[in-house]
Amino acid sequence: GAVVSQHPSRVICKSGTSVKIECRSLDFQATTMFWYRQFPKQSLMLMATSNEGSKATYEQGVEKDKFLINHASLTLSTLTVTSAHPEDSSFYICSARDAPTGGYNEQFFGPGTRLTVL
Amino acid sequence: QKEVEQNSGPLSVPEGAIASLNCTYSDRGSQSFFWYRQYSGKSPELIMFIYSNGDKEDGRFTAQLNKASQYVSLLIRDSQPSDSATYLCAVIGQAGTALIFGKGTTLSVSS
């Protein structure tokens, strides 16, 4: 099956620093990648959708200048949390999708990145 | 605003019983429906997807879709303690490509 990796799996940083999270599709070309955030006991909330070579589309309430998304290739998308603060501490999960066939829209999820901002 | 609603639970069932998980969605034009399982600290894993009205069976799992009622359910037969997890219902709306998740239902299967 399709595999999506994320790096790092866990990161602890000081308030005010920036953190970059990578999401890679290992055995398929991801035309679209999605970034989700999940707070404890909450569901996954979509942050943004990115298509290779295009600017990301951010969901309402998500600051695009704070959460920088780059989808430079068909196998790599990065999320940079700029000037991180404790309230940004969360579980960040990416998912990737190749071109849908026959209406099938399965997304493949990465293992997630646990960000803790001190 | 497009929403996916689930009862947060916890839903507790004994081992070997049938667990029934329910989900409703607000976007009548939604086309694709998914059930994911998520263990604590892990990312979601796909259990089943369903597109057409009716039932779809895969092993111990049966997904049921009723578009007229905007209702999706997941039945787990012969529940096992390893099924204890949070089950997330997700929907792709008519115009979208992203999954919209419900808050999830926590299932606890006791041995």
Side-chain angles (χ1 to χ4, degrees):
Chain A
V3 178
V4 176
S5 70
Q6 274 185 249
H7 178 81
S9 59
R10 184 181 295 269
V11 58
I12 300 173
C13 69
K14 292 182 179 179
S15 184
T17 60
S18 294
V19 174
K20 180 184 283 188
I21 302 170
E22 292 186 348
C23 176
R24 293 181 184 272
S25 57
L26 299 185
D27 51 3
F28 68 101
Q29 294 186 325
T31 55
T32 305
M33 286 186 168
F34 306 88
W35 287 95
Y36 294 85
R37 178 168 55 181
Q38 186 176 34
F39 292 107
K41 306 286 186 188
Q42 300 293 317
S43 188
L44 279 75
M45 296 300 296
L46 178 67
M47 299 176 67
T49 301
S50 73
N51 292 295
E52 185 265 340
S54 302
K55 288 185 177 180
T57 301
Y58 290 80
E59 294 299 301
Q60 190 173 11
V62 178
E63 300 174 58
K64 63 180 180 181
D65 294 331
K66 181 171 181 63
F67 298 99
L68 302 178
I69 292 173
N70 186 304
H71 191 165
S73 76
L74 285 171
T75 59
L76 173 64
S77 177
T78 60
L79 167 67
T80 301
V81 183
T82 62
S83 186
H85 288 91
E87 58 265 30
D88 298 322
S89 299
S90 189
F91 192 42
Y92 291 85
I93 307 172
C94 73
S95 70
R97 189 190 75 155
D98 60 10
T101 57
Y104 186 39
N105 279 310
E106 184 176 2
Q107 297 178 21
F108 303 96
F109 283 85
T113 297
R114 175 76 59 190
L115 170 63
T116 302
V117 184
L118 303 177
Chain B
Q1 184 170 349
K2 300 178 178 58
E3 293 183 347
V4 178
E5 300 288 341
Q6 292 181 257
N7 187 327
S8 62
L11 173 65
S12 297
V13 300
E15 184 175 359
I18 296 175
S20 178
L21 304 161
N22 304 314
C23 170
T24 59
Y25 58 94
S26 63
D27 184 356
R28 183 169 289 279
S30 298
Q31 299 294 321
S32 309
F33 308 88
F34 303 80
W35 281 100
Y36 285 84
R37 177 172 61 195
Q38 186 177 29
Y39 293 109
S40 181
K42 305 294 185 181
S43 65
E45 54 180 321
L46 181 67
I47 297 175
M48 292 190 69
F49 62 89
I50 186 168
Y51 296 148
S52 303
N53 276 328
D55 295 359
K56 179 181 179 182
E57 186 175 320
D58 183 1
R60 296 187 295 114
F61 300 96
T62 299
Q64 299 174 319
L65 173 61
N66 184 324
K67 289 187 178 181
S69 300
Q70 295 176 236
Y71 174 89
V72 192
S73 67
L74 179 70
L75 299 178
I76 306 175
R77 290 181 298 280
D78 189 24
S79 296
Q80 301 297 310
S82 58
D83 294 327
S84 297
T86 296
Y87 289 79
L88 301 169
C89 173
V91 172
I92 295 180
Q94 184 177 22
T97 58
L99 290 163
I100 307 301
F101 284 89
K103 290 186 176 181
T105 298
T106 300
L107 173 65
S108 176
V109 181
S110 56
S111 57

